[in-house]
Amino acid sequence: MQFDTFLCVFACFATILALGPQPPTARPDGVETFKPSEPNILNGTEFVDWIASQQQKGVEALALAEGSYHVLPSGDKAHIFLQNLDSMTIWMDSVNLTMTRVGLMAFQIYGCNELKTYGPTVWWDTPGFSQATITSVRGTGGQNYDLQFHLDDGYDSSFLLNSSTGQVKGEYTNPKTGRLEAGPGWSTVNAIAKPLDGHKNTFTVPLLNSYFTPQVGYKLLARGSFIFCNQVGNSNNTVINDYTLLNCAGFGWMSSGNRKTAFNSFSLKPASFPPPGGTELPARSSSADGIHSSGDYIGPTFDSCYFSALDDDCMAVHGSLNPITGPGASSNSFVVPKGAAAPGDILRFYANTTFEPLGTATVTSTSQASITVNDLPVPASQLATTFWSNQNRIGSGFAVLNTHTTGNRGRGAIIKASNGIISGNLFEGVSYGAINVGPEFSFWKEADYVHNVTITNNTVRDCNYISKAAAAVMVHGDGNNAMNGNSNITIDGLVIDGVTATNLYVGASEGVELGDVMFLNTYRENYTLWEEWPGSVATFENVRFSGVRGTRKVIGGVGRANVDLVKVLGRVEGVSDGGKGLVIGT
């Protein structure tokens, strides 16, 4: 297929994805409804058993009575465990659910087919993270301070303060913006605290080498447990509409082994009320990622979602990079300590340390500890220094649409999957990169290079304010950054506003089409990152462009000496002057 023809077909496919499943405005009349036996108490076991009984009767639409409930768990897996449901719709709109066991999932969906759920709003009475309020600041010379802080009532303080040793580990945060106060790193407290005599839950602790001057009223935050607050696994065509999640102890949703999960109008944000026994509002919404897709057969759709004040990344879609122990019993088999594969799956192989692509093969059979393929592209003597990824389980077919992220600690959309679209999104106040496309083999062991991805009509504002090395928008490789890593990437209609470190990086890619890109306000008074790191507005490294069109313009200037508009590294092909033709007009 010609590349232009492919783009046309893919654009049509993307338009279909952008529409997504459209939820009704309210639950329909006459739906079979579960009414809890006790006021304001939802027994998870009774609710789940009732759903199963209705399924056996052939009922396809159910509802939970409107109201607010404390949820009693339906077992050790989750408060509400939905499994083996087929062609079922469950309405939980206009429902508030308070989970009673901290550290236990709210919803687990497993082995379901064509399950649609609507609502509810979910939270835990005790947030799954620690926070304290700074009540006094005293300078001790240079960028060193003594802080006095009070543990906020109603929060689990154990993540921030070790009661036995007095060790405090926390991050210094502006509660009004949810933003980490940071320069080329973030300001952290990691020291021994001393109780303040006569004051309950009040301590003093040194803050050393701070990038910013601490202020009274700011917060010390510590991430809590890393549970999955909700999980969907081994299911097909699951639709999750209009969920709101507050005070999350870990990952908002974990998705694995699924064939398309649609998250429509999902919100993850801090509660607008303090926990029981407390007076301070939560400054964070979660301790980890918003929605994390790992090893899905068909990637998820994120449509009209909202992520605010997370303590990590908003959306992640990826597969895994798996080791090989050595050769198997036949010439085309190898022994694996972990990793999922099935006959017909396509595996891609990589060299150790450099992560150079070595070729692909199709799985013909598997056993508990080994995999056999049709034609192994790696000599047996090199297998023990080789990695592999399953191209059928990296979440390809994803879509990130019309989604808003603001004030989160990590990154916005992290994509390591193919055949997808990132369109119509607003990323603001994201501490690292807003859009990250490409593998992270060496650190996270997450695959893979991406192919056939369109990034269009996105706005990135005030992001990447921590990092000196990354960029607000990145298409990247890993290891030796081979040019044949990513392929067929379109970037168009991109606005990057108020980013004072690198705005755009494109590397380890071929078949990249670069359209309209606007760089606004790359310099602000009293912001020193450009001074500390010369950097560049855009960097291109080992890229083969298939087309360069549209406008690339810096408006406002960089305001610092020794800052390149465009830096060219390695080989850059497809443009004039070895990449210098991409110099951005002022």
Side-chain angles (χ1 to χ4, degrees):
M1 180 184 293
Q2 296 294 319
F3 186 63
D4 289 345
T5 304
F6 168 81
L7 287 180
C8 180
V9 173
F10 186 75
C12 295
F13 173 64
T15 300
I16 294 171
L17 281 177
L19 293 175
Q22 301 300 303
T25 56
R27 65 176 73 184
D29 294 332
V31 177
E32 291 287 340
T33 301
F34 180 80
K35 298 179 180 179
S37 57
E38 297 182 61
N40 304 319
I41 298 293
L42 175 62
N43 186 304
T45 300
E46 291 180 1
F47 184 44
V48 168
D49 289 347
W50 176 79
I51 292 172
S53 67
Q54 297 299 309
Q55 170 94 71
Q56 292 176 353
K57 296 176 183 178
V59 179
E60 295 184 348
L62 302 172
L64 174 61
E66 296 179 1
S68 297
Y69 306 100
H70 278 74
V71 184
L72 304 180
S74 61
D76 293 331
K77 294 182 180 295
H79 286 81
I80 298 174
F81 185 27
L82 305 175
Q83 62 178 328
N84 301 328
L85 299 178
D86 186 53
S87 300
M88 174 72 73
T89 299
I90 302 175
W91 292 86
M92 293 175 284
D93 57 317
S94 300
V95 170
N96 298 317
L97 299 178
T98 303
M99 301 299 140
T100 56
R101 189 186 302 177
V102 175
L104 188 67
M105 278 188 287
F107 286 87
Q108 184 173 28
I109 299 171
Y110 185 83
C112 295
N113 184 58
E114 303 285 348
L115 174 64
K116 296 180 181 179
T117 59
Y118 293 89
T121 297
V122 175
W123 69 85
W124 286 256
D125 269 345
T126 302
F129 44 85
S130 298
Q131 68 178 50
T133 302
I134 295 174
T135 56
S136 174
V137 176
R138 182 177 67 88
T140 57
Q143 291 298 106
N144 302 319
Y145 305 89
D146 277 342
L147 303 182
Q148 181 178 300
F149 68 89
H150 178 81
L151 296 171
D152 289 352
D153 294 331
Y155 296 82
D156 184 345
S157 63
S158 63
F159 306 120
L160 177 68
L161 174 67
N162 186 316
S163 59
S164 299
T165 65
Q167 184 78 25
V168 172
K169 291 185 178 180
E171 295 171 353
Y172 176 62
T173 305
N174 182 344
K176 295 181 180 179
T177 63
R179 177 183 173 120
L180 292 167
E181 291 297 340
W186 55 76
S187 294
T188 59
V189 175
N190 187 355
I192 301 298
K194 296 180 180 179
L196 188 66
D197 292 339
H199 294 78
K200 182 181 179 182
N201 292 332
T202 302
F203 302 81
T204 59
V205 67
L207 172 64
L208 305 178
N209 300 316
S210 175
Y211 291 108
F212 284 81
T213 303
Q215 297 184 35
V216 171
Y218 276 30
K219 296 291 185 182
L220 292 179
L221 300 178
R223 306 170 74 178
S225 57
F226 293 97
I227 68 164
F228 303 149
C229 293
N230 301 274
Q231 185 177 28
V232 54
N234 291 358
S235 297
N236 301 325
N237 297 321
T238 304
V239 179
I240 296 170
N241 286 315
D242 300 318
Y243 276 66
T244 297
L245 189 58
L246 313 172
N247 298 353
C248 179
F251 294 85
W253 278 89
M254 183 69 187
S255 175
S256 183
N258 300 297
R259 289 174 170 83
K260 184 55 69 178
T261 302
F263 296 92
N264 300 323
S265 301
F266 169 76
S267 294
L268 177 53
K269 57 187 180 181
S272 58
F273 48 87
T279 59
E280 293 289 325
L281 298 178
R284 276 280 178 260
S285 62
S286 77
S287 287
D289 295 354
I291 303 176
H292 198 103
S293 165
S294 176
D296 279 332
Y297 290 98
I298 301 176
T301 292
F302 312 102
D303 194 348
S304 302
C305 296
Y306 178 70
F307 300 93
S308 174
L310 280 71
D311 213 322
D312 214 323
D313 308 319
C314 295
M315 298 160 283
V317 183
H318 65 84
S320 61
L321 186 73
N322 306 297
I324 296 176
T325 303
S330 69
S331 59
N332 286 317
S333 67
F334 54 94
V335 178
V336 293
K338 64 177 183 178
D345 288 352
I346 298 174
L347 310 185
R348 198 178 194 190
F349 296 85
Y350 294 96
N352 190 17
T353 67
T354 66
F355 303 111
E356 180 77 26
L358 301 177
T360 61
T362 302
V363 177
T364 57
S365 64
T366 63
S367 66
Q368 186 174 1
S370 68
I371 298 173
T372 302
V373 297
N374 62 332
D375 187 11
L376 192 61
V378 182
S381 60
Q382 298 179 15
L383 281 172
T385 58
T386 300
F387 290 98
W388 63 278
S389 68
N390 188 338
Q391 300 296 287
N392 293 71
R393 294 198 61 173
I394 58 175
S396 293
F398 70 91
V400 181
L401 308 167
N402 312 312
T403 285
H404 182 192
T405 73
T406 179
N408 69 293
R409 174 186 177 276
R411 294 174 284 182
I414 306 173
I415 303 298
K416 301 159 190 176
S418 297
N419 304 328
I421 183 170
I422 304 170
S423 180
N425 304 289
L426 171 60
F427 301 91
E428 57 180 353
V430 176
S431 63
Y432 285 109
I435 301 174
N436 284 259
V437 175
E440 290 180 296
F441 294 137
S442 54
F443 190 82
W444 291 112
K445 297 295 185 289
E446 292 178 354
D448 207 323
Y449 283 108
V450 307
H451 313 281
N452 311 325
V453 171
T454 296
I455 304 169
T456 182
N457 298 327
N458 297 285
T459 297
V460 173
R461 182 179 299 136
D462 191 26
C463 296
N464 196 34
Y465 60 83
I466 275 181
S467 182
K468 296 192 298 182
V473 177
M474 294 186 70
V475 179
H476 60 87
D478 201 345
N480 67 351
N481 282 323
M483 185 178 282
N484 64 343
N486 307 298
S487 67
N488 296 343
I489 311 294
T490 297
I491 303 173
D492 195 15
L494 176 62
V495 176
I496 303 179
D497 184 4
V499 173
T500 56
T502 297
N503 283 227
L504 175 66
Y505 172 92
V506 181
S509 303
E510 59 184 1
V512 177
E513 183 168 358
L514 190 64
D516 290 334
V517 182
M518 192 75 73
F519 303 94
L520 308 177
N521 305 309
T522 61
Y523 163 66
R524 287 175 290 170
E525 289 289 345
N526 303 318
Y527 205 91
T528 62
L529 189 52
W530 278 128
E531 292 179 338
E532 297 188 21
W533 182 57
S536 63
V537 176
T539 299
F540 304 114
E541 179 180 12
N542 294 340
V543 185
R544 183 176 292 114
F545 287 97
S546 63
V548 179
R549 56 180 176 78
T551 301
R552 284 157 301 284
K553 184 175 290 187
V554 172
I555 297 178
V558 295
R560 290 283 187 268
N562 303 318
V563 177
D564 296 329
L565 293 180
V566 173
K567 182 179 290 185
V568 175
L569 304 173
R571 291 187 301 146
V572 177
E573 301 177 6
V575 294
S576 61
D577 304 325
K580 296 299 183 182
L582 288 173
V583 170
I584 300 148
T586 57

